[in-house]
Amino acid sequence: MKDIENLKLYIAKVLKEVEVEGIEIQKYQNKPDKFVKLPAITYLLTNEMFNMGFREIKDQIGIFQVDIWANTQKDISSIRKELINKMITNGIHYMGGRDFEDPSGIKRFICNFKVKI
């Protein structure tokens, strides 16, 4: 039987590798009540599924929401490009993204990724 993986640890490892020259990016599992410094990336597992075979797990699938928070659209764009590239090179599928008008006034871009192990 295939062991169940901790997909949050897998995503966290990949997010640690996301770097943009000249930008210090803070990274959080969940959005803090108040950001100490921007830009930042937050992530959360929104859905987890298992594809079953005969009495065993064939695949484990996780859908993650990864948000980029920044004061400028320029920072969002730079981080978004590196984030997507890093995820794809680690076998994580980019499902799409969108700008979001956050009530806090902070610029925000929401990405959705699918991890299949």
Side-chain angles (χ1 to χ4, degrees):
M1 178 176 238
K2 184 176 179 178
D3 288 337
I4 295 174
E5 301 289 329
N6 186 338
L7 298 179
K8 287 182 185 179
L9 291 177
Y10 185 69
I11 284 287
K13 179 181 169 263
V14 175
L15 288 175
K16 283 183 181 183
E17 299 174 9
V18 175
E19 296 178 351
V20 176
E21 187 176 332
I23 300 175
E24 183 181 338
I25 307 167
Q26 307 301 307
K27 296 163 185 156
Y28 305 90
Q29 181 175 342
N30 296 303
K31 181 185 178 290
D33 290 334
K34 183 174 178 158
F35 287 107
V36 175
K37 187 176 177 185
L38 290 173
I41 293 174
T42 59
Y43 68 98
L44 61 104
L45 177 65
T46 60
N47 199 2
E48 185 173 41
M49 302 157 274
F50 299 96
N51 287 331
M52 300 299 292
F54 183 70
R55 295 186 182 174
E56 67 180 17
I57 297 170
K58 287 175 49 180
D59 298 312
Q60 181 177 352
I61 300 166
I63 307 297
F64 283 86
Q65 177 177 313
V66 179
D67 296 2
I68 305 167
W69 305 80
N71 289 318
T72 68
Q73 282 300 127
K74 182 180 177 194
D75 283 351
I76 295 262
S77 295
S78 298
I79 294 167
R80 180 180 165 270
K81 179 181 174 185
E82 181 60 25
L83 171 66
I84 293 169
N85 284 332
K86 194 59 71 176
M87 293 292 204
I88 289 170
T89 58
N90 280 279
I92 299 170
H93 179 73
Y94 178 60
M95 298 173 58
R98 66 191 183 285
D99 286 312
F100 185 83
E101 292 288 329
D102 196 79
S104 68
I106 301 170
K107 307 264 188 271
R108 180 179 178 191
F109 191 87
I110 299 172
C111 302
N112 292 292
F113 294 96
K114 180 169 79 171
V115 177
K116 183 177 178 180
I117 296 179

